[in-house]
Structures are given as structure tokens and as C-alpha cells.
Amino acid sequence: MSPFRITRTLPEDASRAALRADVVAGLADRPRSLPPRWFYDARGSELFDRITRLPEYYPTRAEAEILTDRAGEIARASGARTLVELGSGSSEKTHHLLDAMPDLALYVPVDVSESALRGAGRELSGRRPELDVHAVVADFTGRLELPEGPGPRLVAFLGGTIGNLEPAERERFLRSVRELLSPGDALLLGTDLVKDERVLVRAYDDAAGVTAEFNRNVLRVVNRELSADFRPELFDHVAVWDPAAEWIEMRLRSREAQTVKIPTVDLVVDLAEGEEVRTEVSAKFRPERVREELGAVGMEVTHWWTDREGRFALSLGVVR
């Protein structure tokens, strides 16, 4: 059995407190918004898993293709002895990378879900019995404290999740990652690339309506956790491309004028007919933008890998 430890840096009630704060900040303001992290309760995670297998949704397949084809190159380029994965979930997408790193001494999966981390630990104990696994229950958007491990250290942030952060948030996040690293350490960053608007919109507005159901699920989370009385069926799913910001926005549009009560946070939300709540931005990138944003925090892009159709990229940003 592989050594497995788990450290919790989040208080037990941190998730509920964060949800309350996000709901008050986002729904009491205009334009109204809810952060995408609240999609992912058990039902939301199941729906997102279905999304990743839809014909319109290419990012998961494209990134998996790169990891399958280039894991050996990534391992050699990084020379990593410690691998840290932010937002690891089940760690399924990193198996190709882990398999390409026979000399890896320590794997540090970081996620807000302790159950997901424990499941990943059980899986890895069978695949890599010699590998030391030290899981950390933490929110990667906050200040991170990671266990000591041999260098070089590689931090992996996959799935295009960086695109859910707006520019100022991205800079803060990238600076926080840079603070964890020493010269010679690196960040492996997954970014979805700018492409035809029709391809992008279809990826977030599939014909089967799975993404629409996923989007409305955030209202069910608020109902359950904060005793709200949203009626999800009264909201239409909207996905639009913003060419200036170069991101997709997902929104929920109220079909009629309605009043929503959220008693746990003492909030009443009056929505006009057609009023929208933004639930996600998903930025798309060009190579020069990735190089510029990593360069601004002291990392140099030394390697760039894409899938065969050039839809998605993994970049290696090395600390100099």
C-alpha cells in the first residue's frame, strides 16, 4: 500500500460560509452573479461528467489526448520529483502523467472535497504502491500551504479551470502559485484556445440540454443549503461569446418577473423578466496571452503542447 496522508486546511464550515458570502455579494449586486464553484455538488458533478462525454464538448477529450501523447515529454521537461495537482478531484486525468513519472517521490492532490481525495488515494495505492501521497483539503483560490517534498516541484492546474477566473483573479492566483515555487520548479497549465465562435457556443449549449440542467443546478444548491425558494424551471440557460473579453459567459435568464427569498442570509431578490444571473465565465486563450500572464509573475513558458486539432494547450511555465 502506498503511504497516504491527508491534511485539512479548510475549517469544517468553510464551504457553507463561503456560499453565504458569495450569494450575498453576487445576488445583492448588479449585474447579478453566482460563482461557478457552486455547480459541483454530487448532482452537479454527475452532470459535468456527462457534459465531458457530449459530442459538442471537446476540452476534456483534447486535454486527455495531449496527456496521453505527451506525458513522457512533460515528465522529462519538468524533471519533477514532487507533483502537486490543484483541483485534483478523482485525479483521473493525471494518471497518464503519473505513469510517465516512475521516479516521482511525492504526489500532492489538492481539492475542497475530502471524499474525492480519499477515493483518489485508494485508487493510487493500487496503481503506485511505492508512491508517497499527501492529500490536502484546501481551496486553491486561497492561500495554500503545501507539504515539503523533494524538488523540482511541478504544479499542475488542468482542465482549463484557469479560464473561470477573471484577469485580476488570474493574476492573484498565478502569483500565489509562484510563491510556492523555487527556481527550476514549474507550472503545467491547461488552457482552452480561442477558436470559431460557433464551436465555442455549442460546447456550452449542447443540443441535449445537459449543460442547461448543469447551469440550473446552482439554484438547487442555493435552495438546499440556504433555504432559498428559487424555481429553476423559471430560468433559461444562456451561453454567449464575448469577443472583447474572449470568453464564454453562461447565464440564467429569468422567464418572468419573480421574487426569490433566501432567509438564511436575510436576502430578497427581485428579478425582472429577462434579467440574467451570470454563473460562469470561461476565458479562451492565445499563446501570447499565456506567455504574457505567466511572464508577469516570473515564469517563462518553455514548452507548449496542443492536441492534434489545436483546440487546447498545455504549457510549462518554469520559474527562473
Side-chain angles (χ1 to χ4, degrees):
M1 296 288 287
S2 64
F4 177 77
R5 292 161 289 163
I6 190 161
T7 299
R8 171 176 280 278
T9 64
L10 279 179
E12 291 288 346
D13 63 347
S15 180
R16 184 177 290 267
L19 175 60
R20 288 196 298 265
D22 284 346
V23 165
V24 171
L27 294 182
D29 200 5
R30 282 185 176 75
R32 303 188 197 274
S33 64
L34 287 168
R37 59 176 168 167
W38 303 115
F39 288 136
Y40 298 97
D41 64 348
R43 174 62 174 158
S45 297
E46 176 191 340
L47 287 166
F48 185 70
D49 183 62
R50 288 173 58 190
I51 288 169
T52 64
R53 292 181 270 116
L54 292 168
E56 298 97 331
Y57 193 81
Y58 61 86
T60 302
R61 291 189 297 275
E63 185 177 57
E65 180 187 303
I66 303 169
L67 288 169
T68 300
D69 293 348
R70 305 293 189 178
E73 294 178 30
I74 295 168
R76 289 189 293 274
S78 69
R81 299 292 316 288
T82 295
L83 173 62
V84 178
E85 184 181 4
L86 304 181
S88 59
S90 67
S91 299
E92 181 178 355
K93 57 181 172 285
T94 51
H95 284 171
H96 291 295
L97 197 54
L98 289 166
D99 290 344
M101 294 178 156
D103 297 326
L104 191 69
L106 175 65
Y107 173 52
V108 183
V110 179
D111 202 271
V112 295
S113 171
E114 183 170 343
S115 61
L117 290 171
R118 291 194 180 279
R122 287 192 294 271
E123 169 71 14
L124 282 169
S125 68
R127 294 175 65 91
R128 293 287 297 273
E130 81 293 350
L131 181 62
D132 187 7
V133 180
H134 190 154
V136 178
V137 182
D139 181 351
F140 62 74
T141 63
R143 183 171 178 82
L144 280 175
E145 295 180 12
L146 297 176
E148 293 294 327
R153 177 180 283 189
L154 176 65
V155 173
F157 191 45
L158 305 177
T161 308
I162 188 75
N164 294 146
L165 305 177
E166 296 189 33
E169 295 174 312
R170 285 203 302 271
E171 182 181 7
R172 286 194 297 271
F173 167 75
L174 291 171
R175 287 194 183 281
S176 73
V177 171
R178 170 62 183 86
E179 290 172 1
L180 300 171
L181 304 178
S182 301
D185 293 344
L187 169 67
L188 181 67
L189 182 64
T191 48
D192 196 7
L193 301 179
V194 174
K195 56 186 65 66
D196 185 275
E197 175 182 346
R198 292 166 296 181
V199 174
L200 289 166
V201 172
R202 283 197 297 268
Y204 293 84
D205 193 11
D206 61 278
V210 182
T211 309
E213 185 64 15
F214 174 72
N215 196 7
R216 283 188 285 264
N217 189 65
V218 72
L219 303 181
R220 296 187 174 93
V221 171
V222 177
N223 282 352
R224 183 183 65 246
E225 298 297 328
L226 302 182
S227 303
D229 60 358
F230 279 106
R231 295 174 60 190
E233 70 277 8
L234 294 184
F235 290 84
D236 289 323
H237 166 68
V238 179
V240 296
W241 170 246
D242 183 332
E246 293 194 320
W247 64 36
I248 287 282
E249 285 195 15
M250 289 206 321
R251 307 169 186 166
L252 290 168
R253 179 180 294 155
S254 180
R255 292 182 180 175
E256 60 185 49
Q258 54 180 307
T259 297
V260 177
K261 297 180 178 64
I262 313 176
T264 302
V265 293
D266 194 26
L267 183 65
V268 176
V269 182
D270 290 313
L271 292 164
E273 180 180 354
E275 187 172 358
E276 295 176 338
V277 178
R278 190 177 75 175
T279 54
E280 182 178 84
V281 299
S282 184
K284 310 307 170 185
F285 293 83
R286 301 179 190 272
E288 57 270 24
R289 186 176 180 182
V290 176
R291 293 189 177 94
E292 178 183 326
E293 292 194 8
L294 291 182
V297 300
M299 288 185 272
E300 178 188 354
V301 175
T302 60
H303 294 75
W304 179 267
W305 299 276
T306 69
D307 64 294
R308 287 183 285 274
E309 294 184 37
R311 300 166 295 178
F312 196 95
L314 292 179
S315 56
L316 190 72
V318 178
V319 177
R320 295 306 192 188

